Amino acid sequence: MSNVARPERASTRLSARTIVTYAIGSLGTGGYATLPGLVLTYFLTDNLGVAALVAGLIVTAAKVWDVVIDPLIGAASDRQLARTGSRRGLMVLGALTLPVFFALTFAVPPSWGPAAGAVCVLLAFLGTATSFSLFQVPYVALPAELTDGYDERTRLLGWRVVVLTAAILLFGAGGPMLRRATGDPVTGYLLMGVVAGVAIGIGMLIASRTAREGVAAPADTARTSLREQYLDGFRTLRRSAPFRALLGTFLLQALATGTMLAGAQYVARWVLGDEAAVEILFVALVAPALIATPVWTAVAARTGKERAFLFASILFLLSSATITIALWSPGAWIYASVAGAGIAYAGLQSLPMAMLPDVISHDERTSGPGRAGTFTGIWTAGETVGFALGATAVALMLAVTGYVSSVAGTGAAQPDSAVAGIVLSFSILPAALMALSLVPLSRYRLRRSDIDAPASPVS
């Protein structure tokens, strides 16, 4: 076989401007991941009167759509890179269209009825998911092209998670506050959707400037059919054992954190007895990450990313499992357990995202360059499905345990079984999923020496 040269990319220390501009993109990522996961199921069940099981299916359907389009967008992003030398075009398109669809998702009034409301929310959220994927798939591909340094990638993604953490705090606490600002749930949800959608779009638009111009890419990428590049994304799963291990771990962990995210609003109202407590839960979960993220970066530099990732996973498992005690003794102590999970969450976000560019580089050395977009298309699909299935798992738990849905302005008492289901979906369920994720993580074999080894042509 002929030699295939690796694309040139920066190997020096990244500038502060590049790191800040890239990190601001997590304002969009944090907003999109937080608000729908936090309030969309609740919006459907307790504002539009949609049955819990149907609400879970709506969120899942939108994310199944991601499984279809994310690999296609990844392939299209690689083609755009080969043709224009930049991934920026798709990112800008996503940033400009997401605010419209995001606002429409929360603009449906209860007067339309549960059936019509459910359909309208589904269509609007499908549009939101598409816009987000147009940005997110090329965005996640950028670190592999910005630098090939093992520790420099950890630094880049560490600061991204700091902004992500701040965004989760902002949207997780600020979103529900906006929802209550008007005193009317209908106009409150609309205000929340408009303001949050615009903020998300601005963050995405700023981060799109990080996409390099003139990045080298194999010329034959532009000539390869979209179908072949789409299928190539799935071939990477067969070809790359490190990618299979990392993706399997991240998907299960996204599912675990997704269950806690979707269950937080229900815990606040029915376990802690105060709907406004959701903001305190979010602060307890996310605020520790502002301090913990640099610590995880330092731990990774000392022990390796894979070991630091294992430590964070175990800490999250133990912290979430302790919340099971709320079945017998609910109280403010839950915030301490959530804070422990929050410290771990910082590592669960920054470390696998810093490991993904290593996996892409490793594949370049063995199979040739030009596939970063196909990797991140599959990755983003796995991430979004994990978070969506977290909401679905909570909805199924609520349905099985007898949760009673209601429309805006009305109240409904919940049976003890439903309250128990809420606690379990916030504790044992994420702990069990986190324990299961340790199996694929144990199969991740890449180490620092595999990444920092001198580059050589692929034969």
Side-chain angles (χ1 to χ4, degrees):
M1 296 176 63
S2 59
N3 289 344
V4 179
R6 299 177 62 204
E8 295 183 1
R9 58 170 64 87
S11 59
T12 56
R13 188 172 177 84
L14 291 169
S15 69
R17 179 178 179 180
T18 297
I19 290 176
V20 170
T21 304
Y22 182 79
I24 288 174
S26 283
L27 182 66
T29 303
Y32 175 81
T34 301
L35 271 185
L38 175 65
V39 302
L40 186 55
T41 303
Y42 189 78
F43 172 67
L44 288 162
T45 60
D46 286 53
N47 192 68
L48 300 183
V50 177
L53 182 59
V54 176
L57 291 176
I58 288 173
V59 176
T60 302
K63 297 306 183 179
V64 169
W65 174 241
D66 283 332
V67 177
V68 176
I69 65 170
D70 284 353
L72 283 172
I73 291 173
S77 179
D78 283 341
R79 288 167 63 88
Q80 184 180 69
L81 177 67
R83 188 173 61 252
T84 68
S86 175
R87 300 183 186 273
R88 183 173 298 154
L90 292 179
M91 298 174 71
V92 171
L93 179 61
L96 294 178
T97 56
L98 183 138
V100 176
F101 290 116
F102 195 91
L104 289 175
T105 300
F106 295 99
V108 180
S111 59
W112 289 8
V119 172
C120 291
V121 169
L122 173 61
L123 293 176
F125 197 47
L126 284 174
T128 304
T130 302
S131 295
F132 180 73
S133 291
L134 288 171
F135 167 81
Q136 182 73 357
V137 172
Y139 177 67
V140 175
L142 293 181
E145 297 164 356
L146 292 174
T147 179
D148 55 10
Y150 180 87
D151 289 324
E152 200 64 6
R153 286 169 178 166
T154 308
R155 176 172 167 252
L156 174 66
L157 274 302
W159 281 109
R160 179 198 162 190
V161 171
V162 170
V163 176
L164 177 66
T165 300
I168 292 173
L169 274 174
L170 174 65
F171 288 98
M177 288 180 181
L178 283 173
R179 182 187 60 191
R180 296 193 302 271
T182 65
D184 171 48
V186 178
T187 57
Y189 273 112
L190 178 59
L191 175 65
M192 181 192 74
V194 171
V195 173
V198 170
I200 292 170
I202 290 174
M204 293 162 64
L205 197 60
I206 292 173
S208 68
R209 300 178 62 187
T210 314
R212 289 179 178 273
E213 298 286 354
V215 175
D220 60 355
T221 301
R223 295 192 296 267
T224 303
S225 71
L226 195 62
R227 177 179 179 274
E228 281 301 308
Q229 283 191 274
Y230 180 81
L231 294 176
D232 190 50
F234 293 97
R235 294 187 189 109
T236 61
L237 289 172
R238 297 195 302 268
R239 182 176 68 242
S240 175
F243 185 52
R244 287 197 305 274
L246 188 61
L247 179 63
T249 304
F250 193 67
L251 192 154
L252 288 167
Q253 294 192 355
L255 180 54
T257 54
T259 59
M260 292 194 76
L261 187 65
Q265 183 71 71
Y266 295 96
V267 170
R269 180 174 181 183
W270 299 111
V271 179
L272 296 175
D274 181 6
E275 191 171 286
V278 67
E279 287 117 43
I280 305 176
L281 281 173
F282 249 84
V283 170
L285 177 63
V286 179
L290 291 171
I291 300 174
T293 298
V295 175
W296 287 118
T297 299
V299 173
R302 183 176 181 85
T303 68
K305 299 175 192 178
E306 70 288 341
R307 288 186 179 178
F309 193 18
L310 174 62
F311 299 155
S313 302
I314 293 174
L315 177 58
F316 187 96
L317 190 164
L318 296 175
S319 298
S320 57
T322 61
I323 301 174
T324 311
I325 300 171
L327 283 170
W328 304 279
S329 180
W333 62 266
I334 292 176
Y335 298 131
S337 293
V338 172
I343 293 172
Y345 181 73
L348 300 183
Q349 287 294 302
S350 62
L351 296 169
M353 292 301 299
M355 294 158 74
L356 179 60
D358 297 339
V359 170
I360 296 173
S361 295
H362 177 264
D363 186 73
E364 286 183 355
R365 293 183 177 184
T366 58
S367 303
R371 299 181 179 88
T374 54
F375 269 94
T376 57
I378 298 293
W379 177 270
T380 304
E383 178 183 17
T384 53
V385 166
F387 277 114
L389 291 180
T392 303
V394 172
L396 286 172
M397 181 74 78
L398 295 178
V400 169
T401 55
Y403 187 84
V404 181
S405 298
S406 60
V407 298
T410 65
Q414 300 298 336
D416 291 342
S417 60
V419 177
I422 291 169
V423 173
L424 292 176
S425 67
F426 199 70
S427 56
I428 285 297
L429 184 55
L433 290 166
M434 191 61 61
L436 189 60
S437 76
L438 300 181
V439 176
L441 180 57
S442 67
R443 297 171 182 162
Y444 182 83
R445 305 299 185 197
L446 288 185
R447 301 295 183 263
R448 181 193 300 272
S449 58
D450 298 312
I451 306 305
D452 284 344
S456 59
V458 177
S459 300

